[in-house]
Amino acid sequence: DAKTTQPPSMDCAEGRAANLPCNHSTISGNEYVYWYRQIHSQGPQYIIHGLKNNETNEMASLIITEDRKSSTLILPHATLRDTAVYYCIVRDGSGNTGKLIFGQGTTLQVKP
Amino acid sequence: KAGVTQTPRYLIKTRGQQVTLSCSPISGHRSVSWYQQTPGQGLQFLFEYFSETQRNKGNFPGRFSGRQFSNSRSEMNVSTLELGDSALYLCASSLYRGQTDTQYFGPGTRLTVL
């Protein structure tokens, strides 16, 4: 089962920041948080990942709380092309597998 | 660098037939994983291959099988197709196995079983 909980859907106005929350209260110390998104019927696209510290790349920022029980993905200036299902995933902590366990994700609708 | 490629992109089969799907990973990537996506069950892990060996397997019946070749290309096979096997089959590749290694997905193969 997925170790994350996300709201099923969210709306965001175009040009505004989209803040997507994720709860992962049972995360263990060596498990990473990964974010992917999937635009309708395409393969999931990697966005960002992190362990403890906040991370930023050209697509998004990832804010992880100090207790690591939750995180927020931030798309700083959402566009219509950011409309997608966003998945928050906690990677298996053993390091012995590349398996990803997907939950239901958050459907983000960016509106003009 | 080219991304993960999957062939064919679309496939229609009838119940009882078998099907083989192909995945070419990103150049230099040695790990390939397969996933099934259906509206009811979402994205589910099928299996993972690394250095031509199956390293991990999801909870799917034995009708689902796969293999990896020495050039890291992978195939998955589904025998005795059922209507419920209609799904988007996704392949993902990564450099190696491990929790910090990012997987990159292909566009998928849409399988329809009639």
Side-chain angles (χ1 to χ4, degrees):
Chain A
D1 290 345
K3 298 181 69 173
T4 61
T5 304
Q6 299 177 254
S9 64
M10 293 182 62
D11 289 341
C12 178
E14 188 178 21
R16 303 297 295 271
N19 296 279
L20 291 91
C22 179
N23 287 319
H24 30 79
S25 58
T26 62
I27 193 170
S28 60
N30 62 349
E31 290 180 316
Y32 283 69
V33 179
Y34 275 75
W35 284 83
Y36 284 81
R37 72 180 182 183
Q38 187 175 27
I39 298 169
H40 183 64
S41 293
Q42 297 180 22
Q45 177 188 23
Y46 166 76
I47 301 173
I48 198 167
H49 74 279
L51 180 63
K52 295 180 182 179
N53 300 319
N54 298 338
E55 302 288 345
T56 295
N57 63 19
E58 65 279 4
M59 288 183 67
S61 295
L62 174 60
I63 308 297
I64 302 174
T65 59
E66 191 169 345
D67 62 8
R68 303 212 320 124
K69 293 185 176 181
S70 65
S71 60
T72 301
L73 178 74
I74 300 173
L75 307 178
H77 306 286
T79 71
L80 298 179
R81 289 178 295 180
D82 292 322
T83 293
V85 179
Y86 287 77
Y87 296 98
C88 171
I89 300 165
V90 169
R91 286 288 293 269
D92 183 277
S94 68
N96 292 322
T97 177
K99 176 181 178 181
L100 297 175
I101 302 175
F102 287 82
Q104 295 305 307
T106 295
T107 298
L108 175 68
Q109 181 72 47
V110 180
K111 299 184 175 181
Chain B
K1 187 181 277 189
V4 178
T5 57
Q6 294 187 244
T7 56
R9 293 293 311 279
Y10 302 92
L11 204 51
I12 299 175
K13 292 285 188 179
T14 57
R15 280 181 298 173
Q17 287 187 308
Q18 75 166 16
V19 67
T20 299
L21 311 181
S22 181
C23 171
S24 292
I26 293 171
S27 177
H29 283 194
R30 297 172 61 195
S31 176
V32 173
S33 296
W34 288 89
Y35 295 82
Q36 180 197 65
Q37 186 172 27
T38 60
Q41 299 299 318
L43 271 155
Q44 294 185 288
F45 172 79
L46 277 160
F47 26 64
E48 173 195 11
Y49 286 87
F50 181 76
S51 293
E52 303 177 62
T53 303
Q54 187 180 93
R55 300 290 183 164
N56 204 356
K57 190 176 191 303
N59 189 26
F60 280 81
R63 301 185 296 108
F64 291 82
S65 63
R67 58 178 176 169
Q68 186 181 33
F69 303 96
S70 58
N71 61 358
S72 295
R73 191 178 68 85
S74 178
E75 290 181 346
M76 67 162 284
N77 183 78
V78 188
S79 62
T80 319
L81 284 166
E82 301 177 358
L83 295 178
D85 297 332
S86 293
L88 180 67
Y89 289 88
L90 293 155
C91 165
S93 77
S94 59
L95 275 171
Y96 54 86
R97 298 169 59 238
Q99 62 178 176
T100 65
D101 184 38
T102 299
Q103 293 191 21
Y104 296 91
F105 284 81
T109 294
R110 172 74 62 183
L111 172 65
T112 301
V113 182
L114 303 176

